[in-house]
Amino acid sequence: MSNEIELIKDPGLPAHVHRRADTDPKAAARAERQVAILFMLSALGTLLLIVSYLFIPEDIFFFIPVMGNTNAHQLGLGMGMAIALFCIGAGLIHWAKTLMPDEEVIAQRHEFKSDDEDRKDFVKTVKEGAASAGLGRRPLIKRTLGAALGLSAISPVLLLGDLGPLPGNQLKTTTWKKGTRLVTDPGDRPLRPSDLEVGAVAQTLPEIAPGEHRSLNDIAKDAVLLIRLRPEEFNLDAERLSWTHEGIIAFSKICSHMGCAVALYEQTTKHLLCPCHQSTFDVTRAAKVIFGPAARPLPQLAITVDAEGYLVAQAPFNEPVGPSFWERSA
Amino acid sequence: MTARERIAGNVAGYVDDRTGAAKWMKKNLTKVFPDHWSFLLGEICLYSFVILLLSGTFLTFWFDPSMREVIYEGSYEPLQGLEMSAAYASTLDISFEVRGGLLMRQIHHWAALIFMVGIVVHLMRVYFTGAFRKPREFNWIIGVGLLTLGIVEGFLGYSLPDDLLSGTGIRIAEAIIQALPVVGSYLAFFAFGGAFPGVAFIPRIYTVHVLLLPGIFLALITVHLMLVWYQKHTQFPGPGRTEKNVVGYPLMPVYMAKAGGFFFIVFGVTAFLGAVASINPIWLYGPYTPGQVSAGSQPDWYMGWLDGLVRMAPPLETVTFGYTISWNILIPGLILPGIMFTGLALYPFIESWATGDKREHHLLDRPRNAPTRTAIGAMALTFTLVSLINGGNDIIATTFDLTINQMMWFSRIAIIVLPPLAYVITKRLCLSLQRADRDLVLHGRETGRLVRMPNGEFTEIHEPISPEKAWLLTSHEQLAPLELPEYDGAGVRRPAAIKNKIRNRISRSMATAVPKATETERKELEGHH
């Protein structure tokens, strides 16, 4: 016995097993009929689509378990289209599987690598081509071309310059000024402290002149949440306490993490939660981050009341609102 | 010759006279494609892309990509009289006013989800069977590019309607751009034409979504398919299949019928989903305004893992010399995805470097026979899956009565602990399966028939497996680990010693295997019985 290890041998492609339709003309005829039935079903699907498009009104709803209230017009169009397309596919595949030849064929592969001869020739051709252009012999052309190409890349970049203005101060400022009234959003109604009961929340924006249009850009920076607690529930330093008024505290509603609206307020725990990434802020401690990915508290807006008793800002925000950016603290 | 045959012959002759296509066509119409269900995954992607082009073109006829403010006066009562962008209003019109518009919108969205699922599952098939190996590395990289572009394209697509949910998504994208060190706020202002949200963004991403990216997709998909064609498809191992041949069915007529039929099936199923399964009901969300958000805001699934990473990031932000760096955004939003996608793209090169295998491979691996590769894949999938789960942490928490904090801490720990665990378990599983294969070849199949011997002993009858099965279980190659020299002849450490040491170690891990059964062993065992 030799010491060489004998491996298990490849028995080769198994013998082909004929399908019934290959040998039995009846089975073949049956398969043909099945394919034809599928194509006819497809035609019925298209008919359903046409009927739905032309004759089913768009306002008929009916109840289907699981799906709930369903629009008949939409369902008819969709199911018609689905049946029409699916049955064409099913018919084609059934045809291929039952009636088209199913004998496996063997083709040979060839290595992709070219002959060494061809590779050499290729390198030679490239070298000769480069040499005949004289790139190596004419350094002046090479360098000036390189410089010209490099410089020409400036133009597309430069021409994109008008995509937008430079940020300037815009990320750092809001519309809030000393004395700006807080008005409800929606409704634009100025608020008195008495409008808010303890435990209540209100979304507010800075008051604008009547007829003036409020842009989304302003809302994206100006949205402020008012929350009223009992004054003794605050756990604030003297300065921050002086920014509140009769237990009403105001925070920027724009999350300090990624700018979503911090819209969920839990009355019992006095936590504000951002629904996007679940950063959680403690209202009693000047919106300190107590959970989640946000790194900074929500900016607090100092508020007081004006001569008419309406809530107003004492001063603009003392820091930029919204998500961080490179120059934020600069 | 019938009249029809004569006409066909004339047409073919006319074309061939001018192009000489007959020779090429003759060869390619009989081209052989191997058959396996998993080879249909890539086809699903291709067909859903075609569906996306068709349904997307339909939508462009009515969609108005403008952020101009309009008052809604359509037939959907709850929103009548509200101020909204023309983009949102026209999406409502497509849903309620255009016959079949809602169906097309839903088909378009479902096709996008199927496209992305198809890409990911196709990628997993290619990865776990080693189909990315030489000579198919280019196609692997193109595939990773298509996956990346698909994520971007999908995000831009569901951002276009400018509803409250998608606007929130754009806000988050803006925050990621803004978080880039040095250039962030400038880039954000360039992208949005000023401060967020501005009026420029929707028209801009519309051009990217319907022109620029589909163009790139078309080019990449064409190259992807041409390479598959030219390099011939890989095939699973089995009797009669070798590295030198392709066993399968000819393009004409079997594959044409099957592939063409499959296109209609994919389209039919997508239309069915569009008909019965509501998706992205934007009329429920309302128009976008930066001061509002709905609870349970979720991106589409292929963005979910990214959102999940952002959600679980620790609250880390540093200020150095007055400049702010938001690590809580940069790490999960850019650095980790960058590492993930670069690693994915480079994997074929890393593996061939580690194993030293530079040969062409056309026979696929059974995943168990490449335990380290399979384990790395399981590890990466686990990482992504934990992120994805955390992307839905609020929904999971409310559904299962958990707190957000429990969910978040689960994910923060799991993302570190579970991937290595998945690696170890998967590798062990692969080796166990190899052991089972070996047993099967050497001792045969358990029949479940118990026989009592004359001496009272009970034994179970084992039946030998078929030669085809035995070949399937043993035809794979088992590579020996690399043994690169760390010392030269004189016993002095070589300059590349550390590199070689690392390579040796990885290659040893790659070569871990249960020795496959051989004929010699089988014969020896027979001698014993």
Side-chain angles (χ1 to χ4, degrees):
Chain A
M1 246 174 83
S2 76
N3 280 335
E4 206 152 289
I5 293 169
E6 192 189 340
L7 293 175
I8 287 166
K9 283 185 198 67
D10 182 359
L13 209 56
H16 180 68
V17 183
H18 283 291
R19 296 163 301 188
R20 278 191 68 190
D22 294 335
T23 50
D24 179 3
K26 267 191 190 159
R30 192 162 52 236
E32 190 180 349
R33 272 199 307 278
Q34 287 163 345
V35 173
I37 288 172
L38 283 166
F39 289 153
M40 282 189 282
L41 275 178
S42 160
L44 284 180
T46 305
L47 196 67
L48 173 62
L49 182 131
I50 296 171
V51 169
S52 309
Y53 191 86
L54 295 178
F55 302 114
I56 301 184
E58 282 161 74
D59 51 2
I60 299 180
F61 286 83
F62 64 102
F63 184 79
I64 300 181
V66 184
M67 283 175 62
N69 253 355
T70 307
N71 182 284
H73 174 77
Q74 145 85 6
L75 188 70
L77 285 180
M79 287 307 294
M81 195 171 171
I83 293 169
L85 293 166
F86 187 90
C87 289
I88 293 179
L92 281 171
I93 289 174
H94 193 55
W95 179 12
K97 287 201 134 187
T98 52
L99 296 168
M100 289 184 191
D102 78 328
E103 217 144 341
E104 285 191 305
V105 186
I106 302 180
Q108 297 307 310
R109 292 184 192 272
H110 311 281
E111 221 185 353
F112 295 106
K113 187 177 173 296
S114 313
D115 294 336
D116 288 343
E117 195 77 359
D118 287 337
R119 282 193 182 197
K120 256 188 227 150
D121 281 354
F122 166 73
V123 175
K124 211 173 112 200
T125 315
V126 173
K127 272 189 181 157
E128 279 174 3
S132 63
L135 219 52
R137 278 180 295 119
R138 303 190 202 285
L140 185 62
I141 289 185
K142 195 161 81 180
R143 282 180 205 143
T144 47
L145 175 64
L149 281 175
L151 280 172
S152 71
I154 292 174
S155 45
V157 176
L158 193 69
L159 290 175
L160 284 176
D162 274 346
L163 271 177
L166 299 185
N169 226 9
Q170 285 193 63
L171 284 172
K172 296 187 174 176
T173 52
T174 67
T175 315
W176 294 103
K177 284 187 203 58
K178 183 176 173 3
T180 311
R181 275 188 184 163
L182 290 87
V183 296
T184 58
D185 172 34
D188 283 323
R189 214 160 32 76
L191 283 165
R192 287 200 170 91
S194 55
D195 294 334
L196 287 171
E197 288 171 27
V198 171
V201 188
Q203 156 143 335
T204 61
L205 288 166
E207 184 174 45
I208 46 170
E212 205 179 305
H213 186 77
R214 196 190 294 281
S215 80
L216 292 185
N217 284 24
D218 287 338
I219 299 176
K221 293 192 292 184
D222 292 343
V224 158
L225 268 185
L226 283 185
I227 299 161
R228 182 156 195 180
L229 307 181
R230 272 185 289 276
E232 65 271 19
E233 285 171 324
F234 284 125
N235 187 0
L236 302 170
D237 59 38
E239 190 197 11
R240 287 304 182 101
L241 199 60
S242 73
W243 290 6
T244 68
H245 182 81
E246 291 177 20
I248 301 175
I249 191 164
F251 295 111
S252 163
K253 199 188 179 188
I254 308 303
C255 190
S256 61
H257 177 224
M258 293 179 110
C260 291
V262 184
L264 299 176
Y265 177 59
E266 280 187 339
Q267 219 177 42
T268 44
T269 54
K270 305 183 174 51
H271 292 167
L272 271 171
L273 184 101
C274 177
C276 286
H277 305 105
Q278 286 89 41
S279 297
T280 311
F281 306 89
D282 185 351
V283 172
T284 62
R285 286 184 286 168
K288 186 184 150 145
V289 184
I290 51 168
F291 190 73
R296 286 180 291 103
L298 298 170
Q300 185 183 345
L301 183 71
I303 53 168
T304 181
V305 287
D306 60 11
E308 290 168 65
Y310 288 113
L311 286 167
V312 293
Q314 278 185 34
F317 277 109
N318 73 334
E319 57 177 320
V321 302
S324 293
F325 51 97
W326 178 250
E327 309 88 343
R328 187 176 183 280
S329 342
Chain B
M1 202 191 267
T2 64
R4 202 188 313 167
E5 277 173 292
R6 213 169 33 243
I7 294 170
N10 286 344
V11 171
Y14 183 89
V15 175
D16 187 58
D17 283 348
R18 282 152 187 82
T19 60
K23 195 175 154 202
W24 187 87
M25 288 295 279
K26 186 192 80 186
K27 193 174 131 216
N28 282 288
L29 283 178
T30 54
K31 186 149 185 115
V32 173
F33 280 91
D35 221 3
H36 192 268
W37 65 266
S38 69
F39 300 164
L40 297 181
L41 295 166
E43 279 186 51
I44 294 179
C45 306
L46 176 67
Y47 302 149
S48 35
F49 180 70
V50 176
I51 299 169
L52 284 166
L53 287 183
L54 295 174
S55 53
T57 306
F58 179 93
L59 296 177
T60 59
F61 295 152
W62 288 276
F63 180 65
D64 179 3
S66 157
M67 294 171 95
R68 169 173 51 86
E69 299 234 321
V70 297
I71 307 285
Y72 180 66
E73 283 158 353
S75 62
Y76 185 64
E77 281 172 34
L79 296 178
Q80 278 168 3
L82 238 63
E83 242 178 49
M84 57 180 65
S85 68
Y88 185 63
S90 62
T91 313
L92 289 173
D93 288 346
I94 292 173
S95 308
F96 295 114
E97 260 60 57
V98 178
R99 274 180 289 180
L102 178 59
L103 177 68
M104 277 299 167
R105 259 199 63 225
Q106 300 202 138
I107 287 179
H108 195 67
H109 204 123
W110 274 115
L113 295 181
I114 294 173
F115 182 61
M116 292 310 296
V117 178
I119 291 181
V120 170
V121 184
H122 173 59
L123 179 139
M124 277 158 60
R125 199 282 293 169
V126 168
Y127 176 84
F128 285 111
T129 60
F132 54 79
R133 289 173 297 171
K134 186 182 172 185
R136 297 185 175 76
E137 301 97 324
F138 292 158
N139 243 7
W140 170 264
I141 290 180
I142 293 175
V144 174
L146 285 168
L147 167 69
T148 319
L149 288 180
I151 294 173
V152 176
E153 179 74 342
F155 173 74
L156 296 184
Y158 75 69
S159 294
L160 281 174
D162 203 23
D163 55 286
L164 187 56
L165 180 64
S166 71
T168 304
I170 296 175
R171 171 81 247 206
I172 294 168
E174 194 268 352
I176 294 181
I177 302 175
Q178 199 174 299
L180 282 168
V182 189
V183 292
S185 31
Y186 290 87
L187 280 186
F189 267 66
F190 281 131
F192 286 80
F196 176 85
V199 290
F201 197 62
I202 296 281
R204 283 180 185 175
I205 61 172
Y206 181 69
T207 311
V208 177
H209 181 79
V210 306
L211 180 72
L212 187 62
L213 286 181
I216 298 174
F217 267 111
L218 269 178
L220 288 181
I221 290 174
T222 308
V223 178
H224 202 69
L225 291 179
M226 278 167 62
L227 277 171
V228 170
W229 191 278
Y230 179 67
Q231 295 180 328
K232 298 196 175 79
H233 208 287
T234 51
Q235 60 188 350
F236 276 97
R241 285 140 208 262
T242 68
E243 291 283 10
K244 299 262 172 233
N245 72 11
V246 198
V247 181
Y249 300 104
L251 177 73
M252 173 110 177
V254 183
Y255 245 87
M256 277 188 174
K258 278 191 180 173
F262 194 47
F263 166 71
F264 284 100
I265 294 222
V266 174
F267 207 160
V269 170
T270 315
F272 174 74
L273 285 170
V276 302
S278 162
I279 187 145
N280 203 19
I282 47 113
W283 55 90
L284 297 181
Y285 307 147
Y288 179 63
T289 157
Q292 289 173 10
V293 71
S294 52
S297 289
Q298 295 276 306
D300 273 4
W301 75 270
Y302 46 84
M303 294 288 289
W305 58 276
L306 190 60
D307 204 43
L309 283 174
V310 172
R311 289 177 186 203
M312 74 174 91
L316 211 63
E317 184 173 290
T318 54
V319 180
T320 16
F321 304 113
Y323 292 105
T324 308
I325 302 179
S326 306
W327 301 105
N328 53 350
I329 296 175
L330 288 175
I331 293 175
L334 288 166
I335 297 173
L336 277 178
I339 294 172
M340 286 161 74
F341 280 84
T342 313
L344 192 64
L346 293 182
Y347 185 79
F349 307 99
I350 297 171
E351 186 180 299
S352 107
W353 174 81
T355 56
D357 187 354
K358 311 280 180 212
R359 297 163 308 161
E360 283 187 11
H361 290 279
H362 304 289
L363 277 181
L364 297 170
D365 280 327
R366 297 169 78 221
R368 67 184 63 174
N369 290 333
T372 302
R373 178 201 298 148
T374 307
I376 293 174
M379 184 168 77
L381 280 180
T382 311
F383 182 89
T384 318
L385 206 63
V386 173
S387 325
L388 184 61
I389 289 172
N390 196 54
N393 60 1
D394 46 345
I395 305 289
I396 296 174
T398 44
T399 311
F400 295 102
D401 251 344
L402 300 165
T403 67
I404 280 286
N405 308 48
Q406 286 164 338
M407 272 306 298
M408 199 90 97
W409 276 111
F410 162 77
S411 307
R412 281 175 177 176
I413 295 167
I415 197 106
I416 293 167
V417 174
L418 289 189
L421 207 61
Y423 178 90
V424 174
I425 293 174
T426 309
K427 193 155 175 182
R428 289 293 119 197
L429 267 177
C430 288
L431 291 172
S432 297
L433 287 168
Q434 285 187 18
R435 214 165 283 125
D437 283 352
R438 183 184 154 82
D439 265 12
L440 205 56
V441 177
L442 291 181
H443 303 291
R445 185 174 67 85
E446 294 172 358
T447 56
R449 270 187 293 136
L450 290 180
V451 174
R452 190 174 180 188
M453 307 303 257
N455 61 4
E457 180 197 348
F458 284 96
T459 54
E460 187 182 4
I461 305 288
H462 284 234
E463 262 176 12
I465 54 172
S466 68
E468 284 80 20
K469 180 102 195 222
W471 167 247
L472 174 70
L473 299 185
T474 58
S475 62
H476 60 284
E477 253 190 339
Q478 296 193 311
L479 276 183
L482 287 178
E483 276 167 33
L484 301 168
E486 290 169 36
Y487 298 93
D488 65 13
V492 180
R493 273 176 81 86
R494 296 162 61 97
I498 294 175
K499 202 176 102 193
N500 284 357
K501 195 171 174 174
I502 296 171
R503 242 179 115 179
N504 284 340
R505 278 196 72 160
I506 302 176
S507 116
R508 266 206 298 282
S509 160
M510 289 273 188
T512 328
V514 175
K516 65 181 183 183
T518 62
E519 194 62 44
T520 315
E521 284 171 298
R522 266 225 288 215
K523 281 182 180 153
E524 270 172 26
L525 275 169
E526 259 166 40
H528 283 294
H529 284 303

